[in-house]
Amino acid sequence: MRKALALFFAGVFVIAILGALGMPRAVSAAAINLNYANFPPAPTFPCVQMERWKTEVEKRTNGKVAIKTFPGGTLLDAKNMMDGVIAGTADIGNLCMAYQPGRFIVTNATGLPLGIPNAKVGSLVLWDIYEKYKPEEFAKVKVITMFNTAPSNIMSKKPVRTLDDIKGLPLRASGPAVDILKAWGANPVGMPMPETPDALQKGVVQGLFTALEVMKDFKYAELCRYVTMTDAGMYPFSVVMNINSWNKLPKDVQKVMDDMRVEQAEWTGVYMDNHVNESIDWSKKNYNIEIIKLSKEDKAKWDKLLEPIISQWIGEAKAKGLPAEKIIEDIKNLTKKYSGS
Ligand code: DTR
């Protein structure tokens, strides 16, 4: 009897241990589990593209790979994304390269005001620039994809119709877009997107300068009832994977991910462009926002003020030993190629 009881408890013990050991794997039946970190809230476009990539990879690897996504900076925030992925805090991370202009000089050139018309073209151009120049800042990671936002426009609490209206106006931007606002005489305040709602609410800034899909996704239309169409400059993003996590993947899984690099860039660009239109319609309908279009003469004047930004970038890139003029020429030619003009 005692022996039977001992055996019973031993059995329960073994089952409990096995259960505990099995726990982490029980989360997913997949053989390979990857974590994917992202910095903005779940409904925003960087996270929408993340969920699309996750779903497609899981499907195309027939469930061999499971990806756990962490939106909203819960695993890594905007500024720690690249280093966090290199250190292995996350297997995969999505970062806005514009937040670190000095670190991603080559790829951020696609964010300069060079007249790229939309996010689809911007994303394809960015990918080709990355592929051609393979900047050394990506040597420690595997690049999963890259994409660009739609061109940037001014969203503000007060109407901005002229250069006089923008003079001294505190507007939020980040990275190269800060220089654009400066050139127009605004008082730019640099901060990543997740800090912006609070700054707008508290009146630290009177508006922001970025792609217009945020009018809906962050409900900025509620506070910013005016949009001035400038279509100048974009914010380049990349998705990177820890190099050890990548090297551990079987060849067939690597192939699925490699085959998706350009596809994902284009998908995200197209999603972004469509979503900007939805966001404008939504903002008009719900908050009766006014879209301010600059006259042709004024637009030319505003654009002219941005020219020194390109020369400044060329000077800085050259000082770093980069073929700066060639990079700008490539961006212009690729823009023509992908715009079909
Ligand atoms: N434009 C950059 C990037 C950006 C545009 N839309 C979103 C949404 C969520 C996060 C970042 C972005 C910026 O203004 O920060």
Short mmCIF file of all heavy atoms in Angstrom, two decimals, residues 201-256:
data_model
loop_
_atom_site.label_atom_id
_atom_site.label_comp_id
_atom_site.label_asym_id
_atom_site.label_seq_id
_atom_site.Cartn_x
_atom_site.Cartn_y
_atom_site.Cartn_z
N GLN A 201 -1.18 67.29 -26.85
CA GLN A 201 -2.21 67.50 -25.83
C GLN A 201 -1.80 68.63 -24.88
O GLN A 201 -2.59 69.50 -24.56
CB GLN A 201 -2.36 66.18 -25.04
CG GLN A 201 -3.66 66.05 -24.28
CD GLN A 201 -4.81 65.69 -25.23
OE1 GLN A 201 -4.63 64.84 -26.11
NE2 GLN A 201 -5.95 66.33 -25.09
N LYS A 202 -0.53 68.60 -24.46
CA LYS A 202 -0.05 69.59 -23.49
C LYS A 202 0.31 70.93 -24.14
O LYS A 202 0.66 71.87 -23.44
CB LYS A 202 1.19 69.05 -22.78
CG LYS A 202 0.88 67.86 -21.88
CD LYS A 202 2.01 67.57 -20.93
CE LYS A 202 1.62 66.50 -19.94
NZ LYS A 202 2.62 65.43 -19.87
N GLY A 203 0.28 70.97 -25.46
CA GLY A 203 0.59 72.24 -26.14
C GLY A 203 2.09 72.51 -26.29
O GLY A 203 2.48 73.60 -26.67
N VAL A 204 2.91 71.48 -26.00
CA VAL A 204 4.36 71.63 -26.22
C VAL A 204 4.61 71.86 -27.71
O VAL A 204 5.51 72.59 -28.11
CB VAL A 204 5.12 70.35 -25.75
CG1 VAL A 204 6.60 70.41 -26.10
CG2 VAL A 204 4.90 70.13 -24.26
N VAL A 205 3.80 71.23 -28.54
CA VAL A 205 3.85 71.49 -29.98
C VAL A 205 2.45 71.86 -30.47
O VAL A 205 1.44 71.48 -29.86
CB VAL A 205 4.39 70.27 -30.78
CG1 VAL A 205 5.87 70.05 -30.50
CG2 VAL A 205 3.59 69.01 -30.52
N GLN A 206 2.42 72.58 -31.58
CA GLN A 206 1.14 73.05 -32.15
C GLN A 206 0.74 72.23 -33.37
O GLN A 206 -0.19 72.60 -34.08
CB GLN A 206 1.26 74.52 -32.54
CG GLN A 206 1.41 75.46 -31.37
CD GLN A 206 0.19 75.43 -30.46
OE1 GLN A 206 -0.94 75.44 -30.92
NE2 GLN A 206 0.42 75.36 -29.15
N GLY A 207 1.49 71.17 -33.60
CA GLY A 207 1.18 70.34 -34.75
C GLY A 207 2.35 69.42 -35.03
O GLY A 207 3.29 69.34 -34.22
N LEU A 208 2.28 68.72 -36.15
CA LEU A 208 3.37 67.80 -36.47
C LEU A 208 3.54 67.70 -37.98
O LEU A 208 2.70 68.19 -38.74
CB LEU A 208 3.14 66.44 -35.85
CG LEU A 208 2.02 65.55 -36.42
CD1 LEU A 208 2.34 64.10 -36.11
CD2 LEU A 208 0.69 65.91 -35.80
N PHE A 209 4.65 67.07 -38.36
CA PHE A 209 5.01 67.00 -39.76
C PHE A 209 5.40 65.56 -40.09
O PHE A 209 6.46 65.09 -39.69
CB PHE A 209 6.18 67.96 -40.01
CG PHE A 209 6.68 67.99 -41.42
CD1 PHE A 209 5.87 68.41 -42.46
CD2 PHE A 209 7.99 67.62 -41.72
CE1 PHE A 209 6.34 68.45 -43.77
CE2 PHE A 209 8.46 67.66 -43.03
CZ PHE A 209 7.63 68.08 -44.05
N THR A 210 4.51 64.86 -40.76
CA THR A 210 4.77 63.47 -41.11
C THR A 210 3.70 63.00 -42.10
O THR A 210 2.94 63.82 -42.63
CB THR A 210 4.81 62.59 -39.82
OG1 THR A 210 5.20 61.26 -40.19
CG2 THR A 210 3.48 62.52 -39.11
N ALA A 211 3.64 61.70 -42.34
CA ALA A 211 2.64 61.17 -43.27
C ALA A 211 1.25 61.28 -42.63
O ALA A 211 1.09 61.18 -41.41
CB ALA A 211 2.96 59.72 -43.60
N LEU A 212 0.23 61.46 -43.48
CA LEU A 212 -1.09 61.82 -42.97
C LEU A 212 -1.93 60.66 -42.41
O LEU A 212 -3.00 60.89 -41.88
CB LEU A 212 -1.89 62.51 -44.08
CG LEU A 212 -1.37 63.89 -44.51
CD1 LEU A 212 -2.22 64.45 -45.65
CD2 LEU A 212 -1.38 64.86 -43.32
N GLU A 213 -1.43 59.43 -42.52
CA GLU A 213 -2.25 58.34 -41.97
C GLU A 213 -2.41 58.47 -40.46
O GLU A 213 -3.34 57.94 -39.88
CB GLU A 213 -1.67 56.97 -42.39
CG GLU A 213 -0.80 56.25 -41.39
CD GLU A 213 0.55 56.93 -41.15
OE1 GLU A 213 0.89 57.86 -41.89
OE2 GLU A 213 1.25 56.52 -40.22
N VAL A 214 -1.50 59.23 -39.81
CA VAL A 214 -1.57 59.39 -38.36
C VAL A 214 -2.78 60.23 -37.92
O VAL A 214 -3.17 60.19 -36.76
CB VAL A 214 -0.27 59.99 -37.78
CG1 VAL A 214 0.90 59.04 -37.97
CG2 VAL A 214 0.05 61.35 -38.41
N MET A 215 -3.36 61.00 -38.85
CA MET A 215 -4.56 61.78 -38.50
C MET A 215 -5.64 60.85 -37.96
O MET A 215 -6.37 61.18 -37.03
CB MET A 215 -5.09 62.51 -39.74
CG MET A 215 -4.27 63.69 -40.17
SD MET A 215 -4.42 65.09 -39.05
CE MET A 215 -5.81 65.96 -39.75
N LYS A 216 -5.73 59.65 -38.57
CA LYS A 216 -6.72 58.68 -38.12
C LYS A 216 -6.14 57.75 -37.04
O LYS A 216 -6.74 57.56 -35.98
CB LYS A 216 -7.22 57.85 -39.30
CG LYS A 216 -8.26 56.83 -38.90
CD LYS A 216 -8.83 56.09 -40.09
CE LYS A 216 -9.94 55.17 -39.61
NZ LYS A 216 -10.15 54.06 -40.52
N ASP A 217 -4.96 57.20 -37.32
CA ASP A 217 -4.44 56.15 -36.43
C ASP A 217 -4.11 56.67 -35.03
O ASP A 217 -4.19 55.93 -34.06
CB ASP A 217 -3.21 55.48 -37.06
CG ASP A 217 -3.60 54.65 -38.27
OD1 ASP A 217 -4.81 54.49 -38.51
OD2 ASP A 217 -2.70 54.16 -38.98
N PHE A 218 -3.70 57.93 -34.93
CA PHE A 218 -3.44 58.51 -33.60
C PHE A 218 -4.53 59.53 -33.22
O PHE A 218 -4.39 60.23 -32.23
CB PHE A 218 -2.07 59.22 -33.58
CG PHE A 218 -0.89 58.30 -33.48
CD1 PHE A 218 -0.29 57.76 -34.62
CD2 PHE A 218 -0.36 57.94 -32.25
CE1 PHE A 218 0.80 56.92 -34.54
CE2 PHE A 218 0.74 57.09 -32.15
CZ PHE A 218 1.32 56.58 -33.30
N LYS A 219 -5.55 59.62 -34.07
CA LYS A 219 -6.66 60.58 -33.87
C LYS A 219 -6.15 62.02 -33.74
O LYS A 219 -6.72 62.83 -33.01
CB LYS A 219 -7.48 60.23 -32.61
CG LYS A 219 -7.97 58.80 -32.53
CD LYS A 219 -9.45 58.70 -32.83
CE LYS A 219 -9.99 57.29 -32.83
NZ LYS A 219 -9.20 56.26 -33.49
N TYR A 220 -5.08 62.34 -34.46
CA TYR A 220 -4.57 63.72 -34.40
C TYR A 220 -5.58 64.71 -35.00
O TYR A 220 -5.54 65.91 -34.70
CB TYR A 220 -3.23 63.84 -35.13
CG TYR A 220 -2.08 63.14 -34.45
CD1 TYR A 220 -1.09 62.49 -35.19
CD2 TYR A 220 -1.97 63.13 -33.06
CE1 TYR A 220 -0.02 61.85 -34.56
CE2 TYR A 220 -0.91 62.48 -32.43
CZ TYR A 220 0.06 61.85 -33.18
OH TYR A 220 1.10 61.22 -32.56
N ALA A 221 -6.47 64.22 -35.85
CA ALA A 221 -7.46 65.10 -36.48
C ALA A 221 -8.31 65.81 -35.44
O ALA A 221 -8.83 66.90 -35.68
CB ALA A 221 -8.34 64.30 -37.43
N GLU A 222 -8.43 65.19 -34.29
CA GLU A 222 -9.23 65.78 -33.22
C GLU A 222 -8.63 67.13 -32.78
O GLU A 222 -9.36 68.08 -32.50
CB GLU A 222 -9.24 64.79 -32.05
CG GLU A 222 -10.36 65.03 -31.09
CD GLU A 222 -10.36 64.00 -29.97
OE1 GLU A 222 -9.75 62.91 -30.12
OE2 GLU A 222 -10.96 64.30 -28.94
N LEU A 223 -7.30 67.18 -32.72
CA LEU A 223 -6.63 68.41 -32.27
C LEU A 223 -6.13 69.26 -33.44
O LEU A 223 -6.11 70.47 -33.37
CB LEU A 223 -5.44 68.06 -31.38
CG LEU A 223 -5.78 67.47 -30.01
CD1 LEU A 223 -4.53 66.91 -29.34
CD2 LEU A 223 -6.43 68.52 -29.12
N CYS A 224 -5.72 68.60 -34.50
CA CYS A 224 -5.16 69.31 -35.66
C CYS A 224 -6.21 69.35 -36.76
O CYS A 224 -6.37 68.37 -37.50
CB CYS A 224 -3.90 68.62 -36.17
SG CYS A 224 -2.60 68.58 -34.94
N ARG A 225 -6.88 70.48 -36.88
CA ARG A 225 -7.97 70.56 -37.87
C ARG A 225 -7.49 71.06 -39.23
O ARG A 225 -8.29 71.23 -40.13
CB ARG A 225 -9.09 71.47 -37.33
CG ARG A 225 -9.68 71.01 -36.00
CD ARG A 225 -10.50 69.74 -36.21
NE ARG A 225 -10.91 69.14 -34.95
CZ ARG A 225 -12.07 69.37 -34.35
NH1 ARG A 225 -12.95 70.17 -34.89
NH2 ARG A 225 -12.37 68.78 -33.22
N TYR A 226 -6.18 71.35 -39.33
CA TYR A 226 -5.65 71.88 -40.59
C TYR A 226 -4.50 71.02 -41.11
O TYR A 226 -3.64 70.58 -40.34
CB TYR A 226 -5.16 73.32 -40.40
CG TYR A 226 -6.26 74.22 -39.94
CD1 TYR A 226 -6.49 74.44 -38.58
CD2 TYR A 226 -7.12 74.83 -40.87
CE1 TYR A 226 -7.53 75.24 -38.15
CE2 TYR A 226 -8.16 75.63 -40.45
CZ TYR A 226 -8.36 75.83 -39.09
OH TYR A 226 -9.39 76.63 -38.67
N VAL A 227 -4.54 70.80 -42.41
CA VAL A 227 -3.44 70.08 -43.06
C VAL A 227 -2.93 70.94 -44.20
O VAL A 227 -3.71 71.39 -45.06
CB VAL A 227 -3.94 68.72 -43.63
CG1 VAL A 227 -2.91 68.10 -44.55
CG2 VAL A 227 -4.29 67.77 -42.50
N THR A 228 -1.62 71.21 -44.20
CA THR A 228 -1.03 71.94 -45.32
C THR A 228 -0.24 70.95 -46.17
O THR A 228 0.66 70.27 -45.66
CB THR A 228 -0.09 73.07 -44.82
OG1 THR A 228 -0.81 73.86 -43.88
CG2 THR A 228 0.39 73.94 -45.97
N MET A 229 -0.63 70.85 -47.43
CA MET A 229 0.00 69.85 -48.31
C MET A 229 1.37 70.35 -48.78
O MET A 229 1.44 71.32 -49.55
CB MET A 229 -0.90 69.56 -49.52
CG MET A 229 -2.25 68.96 -49.17
SD MET A 229 -2.15 67.42 -48.21
CE MET A 229 -1.48 66.29 -49.41
N THR A 230 2.41 69.69 -48.30
CA THR A 230 3.77 70.07 -48.70
C THR A 230 4.46 68.93 -49.47
O THR A 230 5.34 69.17 -50.27
CB THR A 230 4.63 70.40 -47.46
OG1 THR A 230 4.53 69.30 -46.54
CG2 THR A 230 4.14 71.66 -46.78
N ASP A 231 4.02 67.70 -49.18
CA ASP A 231 4.60 66.50 -49.82
C ASP A 231 6.12 66.57 -49.90
O ASP A 231 6.71 66.49 -50.98
CB ASP A 231 4.01 66.32 -51.23
CG ASP A 231 2.60 65.74 -51.15
OD1 ASP A 231 2.30 65.02 -50.18
OD2 ASP A 231 1.80 66.02 -52.06
N ALA A 232 6.75 66.72 -48.75
CA ALA A 232 8.22 66.87 -48.75
C ALA A 232 8.88 65.93 -47.75
O ALA A 232 8.65 66.04 -46.55
CB ALA A 232 8.57 68.31 -48.42
N GLY A 233 9.66 65.02 -48.26
CA GLY A 233 10.44 64.14 -47.39
C GLY A 233 9.62 63.01 -46.79
O GLY A 233 8.40 63.11 -46.65
N MET A 234 10.29 61.91 -46.49
CA MET A 234 9.60 60.76 -45.89
C MET A 234 10.47 60.17 -44.78
O MET A 234 11.61 60.59 -44.60
CB MET A 234 9.23 59.70 -46.92
CG MET A 234 10.00 59.69 -48.22
SD MET A 234 9.39 58.50 -49.44
CE MET A 234 7.83 59.15 -49.98
N TYR A 235 9.91 59.24 -44.06
CA TYR A 235 10.63 58.61 -42.95
C TYR A 235 10.94 57.14 -43.29
O TYR A 235 10.04 56.31 -43.33
CB TYR A 235 9.78 58.62 -41.68
CG TYR A 235 9.57 59.97 -41.04
CD1 TYR A 235 8.70 60.92 -41.59
CD2 TYR A 235 10.20 60.28 -39.84
CE1 TYR A 235 8.49 62.14 -40.98
CE2 TYR A 235 9.98 61.51 -39.21
CZ TYR A 235 9.13 62.44 -39.78
OH TYR A 235 8.91 63.64 -39.16
N PRO A 236 12.22 56.81 -43.53
CA PRO A 236 12.56 55.43 -43.87
C PRO A 236 12.61 54.49 -42.65
O PRO A 236 13.08 54.88 -41.58
CB PRO A 236 13.96 55.55 -44.49
CG PRO A 236 14.21 57.01 -44.69
CD PRO A 236 13.37 57.71 -43.67
N PHE A 237 12.09 53.29 -42.85
CA PHE A 237 12.05 52.25 -41.81
C PHE A 237 12.83 51.01 -42.26
O PHE A 237 12.94 50.75 -43.47
CB PHE A 237 10.61 51.77 -41.59
CG PHE A 237 9.76 52.67 -40.75
CD1 PHE A 237 9.30 53.88 -41.25
CD2 PHE A 237 9.38 52.29 -39.47
CE1 PHE A 237 8.48 54.70 -40.47
CE2 PHE A 237 8.56 53.10 -38.69
CZ PHE A 237 8.11 54.31 -39.19
N SER A 238 13.29 50.23 -41.30
CA SER A 238 13.79 48.89 -41.66
C SER A 238 13.36 47.87 -40.61
O SER A 238 13.05 48.23 -39.48
CB SER A 238 15.31 48.89 -41.81
OG SER A 238 15.92 49.25 -40.60
N VAL A 239 13.33 46.62 -41.04
CA VAL A 239 13.06 45.51 -40.13
C VAL A 239 14.32 44.64 -40.14
O VAL A 239 14.78 44.23 -41.21
CB VAL A 239 11.84 44.68 -40.58
CG1 VAL A 239 11.59 43.54 -39.60
CG2 VAL A 239 10.60 45.55 -40.71
N VAL A 240 14.88 44.43 -38.96
CA VAL A 240 16.14 43.69 -38.89
C VAL A 240 16.02 42.50 -37.95
O VAL A 240 15.22 42.50 -37.02
CB VAL A 240 17.29 44.62 -38.41
CG1 VAL A 240 17.57 45.71 -39.45
CG2 VAL A 240 17.00 45.25 -37.06
N MET A 241 16.86 41.47 -38.22
CA MET A 241 16.84 40.27 -37.38
C MET A 241 18.23 40.06 -36.76
O MET A 241 19.25 40.31 -37.42
CB MET A 241 16.45 39.04 -38.20
CG MET A 241 16.25 37.81 -37.31
SD MET A 241 15.95 36.25 -38.17
CE MET A 241 14.30 36.36 -38.65
N ASN A 242 18.24 39.60 -35.53
CA ASN A 242 19.48 39.24 -34.85
C ASN A 242 20.21 38.20 -35.70
O ASN A 242 19.60 37.22 -36.17
CB ASN A 242 19.15 38.68 -33.47
CG ASN A 242 20.38 38.17 -32.75
OD1 ASN A 242 20.80 37.04 -32.95
ND2 ASN A 242 20.96 39.01 -31.91
N ILE A 243 21.50 38.40 -35.88
CA ILE A 243 22.23 37.56 -36.83
C ILE A 243 22.31 36.08 -36.39
O ILE A 243 22.23 35.17 -37.21
CB ILE A 243 23.62 38.16 -37.15
CG1 ILE A 243 24.16 37.65 -38.48
CG2 ILE A 243 24.62 37.97 -36.04
CD1 ILE A 243 23.46 38.15 -39.69
N ASN A 244 22.40 35.85 -35.08
CA ASN A 244 22.42 34.45 -34.61
C ASN A 244 21.07 33.79 -34.81
O ASN A 244 20.99 32.62 -35.17
CB ASN A 244 22.81 34.37 -33.13
CG ASN A 244 24.22 34.84 -32.91
OD1 ASN A 244 25.09 34.64 -33.76
ND2 ASN A 244 24.45 35.52 -31.79
N SER A 245 20.00 34.56 -34.55
CA SER A 245 18.65 34.01 -34.77
C SER A 245 18.49 33.63 -36.24
O SER A 245 17.91 32.60 -36.57
CB SER A 245 17.57 35.03 -34.40
OG SER A 245 17.75 35.50 -33.11
N TRP A 246 19.02 34.49 -37.11
CA TRP A 246 18.94 34.22 -38.56
C TRP A 246 19.76 32.97 -38.92
O TRP A 246 19.28 32.08 -39.62
CB TRP A 246 19.42 35.43 -39.35
CG TRP A 246 19.57 35.16 -40.83
CD1 TRP A 246 20.73 34.92 -41.50
CD2 TRP A 246 18.51 35.07 -41.79
NE1 TRP A 246 20.48 34.70 -42.84
CE2 TRP A 246 19.12 34.78 -43.04
CE3 TRP A 246 17.13 35.20 -41.74
CZ2 TRP A 246 18.38 34.63 -44.22
CZ3 TRP A 246 16.38 35.05 -42.92
CH2 TRP A 246 17.00 34.76 -44.13
N ASN A 247 21.01 32.92 -38.43
CA ASN A 247 21.89 31.81 -38.80
C ASN A 247 21.36 30.46 -38.32
O ASN A 247 21.66 29.43 -38.92
CB ASN A 247 23.30 32.05 -38.25
CG ASN A 247 24.00 33.15 -39.03
OD1 ASN A 247 23.68 33.41 -40.19
ND2 ASN A 247 24.96 33.82 -38.39
N LYS A 248 20.58 30.48 -37.26
CA LYS A 248 20.02 29.22 -36.73
C LYS A 248 18.85 28.70 -37.55
O LYS A 248 18.45 27.55 -37.40
CB LYS A 248 19.54 29.46 -35.29
CG LYS A 248 20.66 29.27 -34.26
CD LYS A 248 20.09 29.21 -32.87
CE LYS A 248 20.15 30.54 -32.19
NZ LYS A 248 19.46 30.76 -30.98
N LEU A 249 18.28 29.55 -38.40
CA LEU A 249 17.09 29.13 -39.16
C LEU A 249 17.46 28.14 -40.25
O LEU A 249 18.49 28.30 -40.92
CB LEU A 249 16.41 30.33 -39.81
CG LEU A 249 15.78 31.37 -38.90
CD1 LEU A 249 15.25 32.55 -39.72
CD2 LEU A 249 14.66 30.77 -38.06
N PRO A 250 16.61 27.11 -40.47
CA PRO A 250 16.87 26.21 -41.59
C PRO A 250 16.79 26.95 -42.93
O PRO A 250 16.10 27.97 -43.03
CB PRO A 250 15.76 25.16 -41.48
CG PRO A 250 14.89 25.54 -40.35
CD PRO A 250 15.41 26.77 -39.70
N LYS A 251 17.48 26.40 -43.92
CA LYS A 251 17.57 27.06 -45.23
C LYS A 251 16.19 27.34 -45.85
O LYS A 251 15.99 28.40 -46.46
CB LYS A 251 18.38 26.19 -46.21
CG LYS A 251 19.87 26.18 -45.91
CD LYS A 251 20.59 27.39 -46.51
CE LYS A 251 22.00 27.59 -46.02
NZ LYS A 251 22.16 27.99 -44.64
N ASP A 252 15.26 26.40 -45.70
CA ASP A 252 13.95 26.60 -46.34
C ASP A 252 13.20 27.79 -45.70
O ASP A 252 12.51 28.54 -46.39
CB ASP A 252 13.10 25.32 -46.33
CG ASP A 252 12.85 24.79 -44.93
OD1 ASP A 252 13.71 25.02 -44.03
OD2 ASP A 252 11.81 24.15 -44.70
N VAL A 253 13.38 27.96 -44.39
CA VAL A 253 12.73 29.09 -43.71
C VAL A 253 13.41 30.40 -44.14
O VAL A 253 12.75 31.40 -44.43
CB VAL A 253 12.78 28.91 -42.17
CG1 VAL A 253 12.31 30.18 -41.46
CG2 VAL A 253 11.94 27.71 -41.75
N GLN A 254 14.73 30.36 -44.22
CA GLN A 254 15.45 31.56 -44.69
C GLN A 254 14.98 31.96 -46.08
O GLN A 254 14.82 33.14 -46.38
CB GLN A 254 16.96 31.29 -44.72
CG GLN A 254 17.59 31.22 -43.34
CD GLN A 254 19.11 31.08 -43.41
OE1 GLN A 254 19.66 30.73 -44.44
NE2 GLN A 254 19.78 31.34 -42.29
N LYS A 255 14.72 30.94 -46.90
CA LYS A 255 14.29 31.24 -48.28
C LYS A 255 12.92 31.94 -48.28
O LYS A 255 12.71 32.90 -49.01
CB LYS A 255 14.26 29.97 -49.13
CG LYS A 255 13.87 30.25 -50.56
CD LYS A 255 14.11 29.10 -51.50
CE LYS A 255 13.64 29.33 -52.93
NZ LYS A 255 12.94 30.52 -53.30
N VAL A 256 12.02 31.44 -47.45
CA VAL A 256 10.69 32.07 -47.37
C VAL A 256 10.86 33.55 -47.02
O VAL A 256 10.25 34.43 -47.62
CB VAL A 256 9.80 31.35 -46.31
CG1 VAL A 256 8.57 32.18 -45.97
CG2 VAL A 256 9.40 29.97 -46.81
#
